[in-house]
């Protein structure tokens, strides 16, 4: 079952050995079940890099960004794959 995942605190999203981790500023590291996530909603100040974005694209995970006040700012949307090939 695919579901949405929400991040409300500041920290860092990182990929390490084909696992996505959320590392909070206060400490603590939490693995995210990337195979079960369809949308990832980011409400805090979160650092990430292109290695993570490429990995999210492989699993068709959309990344939605919100500003400090909770208003929608934008989305990273991976390209769609066609059955007959790539467009």
């Amino acid at each position: 079952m695919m579901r949405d995942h929400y991040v409300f605190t500041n920290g860092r999203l990182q990929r390490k050995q084909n696992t996505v981790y959320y590392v909070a500023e206060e400490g603590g590291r939490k693995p995210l079940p990337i195979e079960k996530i369809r949308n990832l909603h980011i409400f805090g100040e979160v650092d990430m890099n292109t290695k993570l974005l490429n990995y999210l694209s492989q699993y068709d995970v959309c990344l939605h960004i919100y500003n400090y006040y909770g208003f929608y700012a934008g989305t990273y949307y991976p390209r769609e794959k066609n059955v007959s090939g790539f467009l």
Side-chain angles (χ1 to χ4, degrees), residues 38-68:
R38 176 66 187 130
N39 294 296
L40 188 57
H41 300 270
I42 306 294
F43 286 89
E45 293 285 327
V46 175
D47 297 328
M48 63 189 82
N49 59 21
T50 55
K51 188 187 294 188
L52 174 77
L53 293 177
N54 287 327
Y55 192 63
L56 293 177
S57 293
Q58 289 177 9
Y59 286 93
D60 295 325
V61 175
C62 294
L63 184 69
H64 305 284
I65 309 292
Y66 300 86
N67 70 9
Y68 177 81

Side-chain angles (χ1 to χ4, degrees), residues 1 6-7 21 36 38 45 52 56 62 67 73-74 77 79 81 84 86:
M1 180 173 89
Y6 297 86
V7 176
Y21 291 98
K36 296 180 181 178
R38 176 66 187 130
E45 293 285 327
L52 174 77
L56 293 177
C62 294
N67 70 9
Y77 188 78
R79 70 175 177 172
K81 299 165 186 77
S84 62
F86 292 111

Side-chain angles (χ1 to χ4, degrees), residues 18-40:
N18 292 333
T19 303
V20 175
Y21 291 98
Y22 175 70
V23 182
E25 277 185 348
E26 302 86 31
R29 189 167 110 171
K30 181 179 179 184
L32 301 179
I34 197 69
E35 299 88 9
K36 296 180 181 178
I37 295 176
R38 176 66 187 130
N39 294 296
L40 188 57

